[in-house]
Amino acid sequence: MSDLMQKIVALTKRRGFIFPSSEIYGGFAAVYDYGPLGVELSKNIKEAWWRNMVQLREDIVGLDSAIVMHPKIWEASGHVSGFSDPLVECKSCHARSRVDHLLESIGVKADEKMSEEEINQLFTDNKDKVKCPGCGKSDFTDVKKFNLLVKTNLGNFTNDWDKEPTYLRGETCQGIYVNFRNALDSTRVKIPFGIAQIGKAFRNEITARQFIFRTREFEQMEMQYFVHPEKEMEEYEKLKEYRWQFYLNLGIKPENLKWHEHENLVFYAKAAFDIEYNFPFGFAELEGVHARGNYDLTQHQKFSGQNLEYVDPFTQEKYLPHIIESSVGVGRTMLAILSEAYREEGERIYLQLPYKLAPYKVAVFPLVKNKPEIVAKAQEILKTLQPQYMTAWDERGNIGKRYYAQDEIGTPFCLTVDYETLEDNTITVRNRDTMVQERINLANLSQFLAGKFS
Ligand code: ATP
């Protein structure tokens, strides 16, 4: 693990952002819990996305579909037959690895569409050069393709339920496709329009390393945009630009982002680009922006037997809309944001988070805790700020330590109430990024903060 990644893992555990799941039971691989600070950061990321994708767009509506849906949906989508990764096990240390990743480590590219036999052959040809990431040996089992869908028995009370399972959704967008008609019939949207959704998805990822980059339970933020077939590429270019700008607006430096074009397009796709971020372990996929043709609605039309065609209200033209999509994980966005924000200056560690993402916007400190008038005044300020801002309270130890503790969680401003406050109604405001302290009259505090957070 890289140095920066280790520091992020340590800080997020120490300060209550991210905990390994089920820790008191020895942990549960590739699943994480968001702690008191993490839940705020994740909420703020989701709010920023929702604002960008729904609130600011009259052509996009929201949705929250169920996690477990009709199992036929996953047959229609191709997940039951095709959503699998090639896996080998090391005969020596029994570590499991994804074959495409092992081959990639020696510069050999495996095509996603390869059958089990083809990829087995490719792996056998290169077996001697590949080393197990666990123990360094080169002694592997044959390649097996492993389906990533997670089965459940929701609504099935038989003992052999796994013969006819339901599934925890492997992606949120299928819930959008199957509600396309409902959104159309119940709102005023007309093509082109989008449906946005944030929600959990589950995948039995074989190798889940790199902290929250790849987990088995994760949250996706997806927007599917329905367009006239002839407008697909034009709208696709607009969406690419819009999504790129979103990350710049979150304070991500352009040099830490790049486009990656898929080399092997699935047969139905018109174009597929990923936005990659320069994570502590190198550039990797943050978001997919894909032009999917009319494959999704064609499949659902076929499997459900329902007509999903759109009738243009002006021209009466009938067609199956094409879809362009934007799809990103909340956890991956959080890891990108944390990597971007992490700063060290001597002893001082701070998170230079954009104000809108910071878990706490402000912290309030009484200079001393044994002077009731100071504590009461600080409490009064806390209570006036709480309705508007997530506000932290700290009365422990010396002020310098309290500043450093807030720096580590990215709180932009700390307000200190002291003896002078009782005399002249002023407080000290300390800035996270510049460490500059200024005296502000309490009468101007709300205007001061509004200016900073507007
Ligand atoms: P990868 O190639 O990294 O496995 P993918 O191409 O399978 O990702 P998509 O199916 O396109 O990913 O999912 C869209 C987005 O959902 C990804 O860009 C990523 O941000 C997020 N995502 C996908 N799988 C995971 C996972 N296991 N853990 C966390 N986030 C994920």
Side-chain angles (χ1 to χ4, degrees), residues 203 205 213-215 218 220 285-287 327-329 332:
R203 294 181 187 178
E205 300 277 3
F213 177 82
R214 187 184 305 285
T215 52
F218 58 101
Q220 287 186 312
E285 174 175 339
L286 171 60
E287 153 160 359
S327 172
V328 58
R332 277 194 202 179

Side-chain angles (χ1 to χ4, degrees), residues 147-177:
N147 194 291
L148 270 63
L149 274 184
V150 180
K151 292 179 181 174
T152 81
N153 68 338
L154 191 88
N156 185 333
F157 303 98
T158 60
N159 285 332
D160 55 358
W161 60 270
D162 56 341
K163 295 208 177 90
E164 283 180 40
T166 46
Y167 302 96
L168 297 182
R169 64 184 173 199
E171 58 186 20
T172 53
C173 55
Q174 296 301 329
I176 295 180
Y177 304 145

Side-chain angles (χ1 to χ4, degrees), residues 235-248 259 275 289:
E235 292 292 348
Y236 180 64
E237 290 308 322
K238 280 200 250 170
L239 182 63
K240 274 177 71 189
E241 178 55 30
Y242 193 70
R243 293 305 301 152
W244 184 265
Q245 204 55 46
F246 174 72
Y247 294 108
L248 299 186
W259 284 109
I275 297 179
V289 187

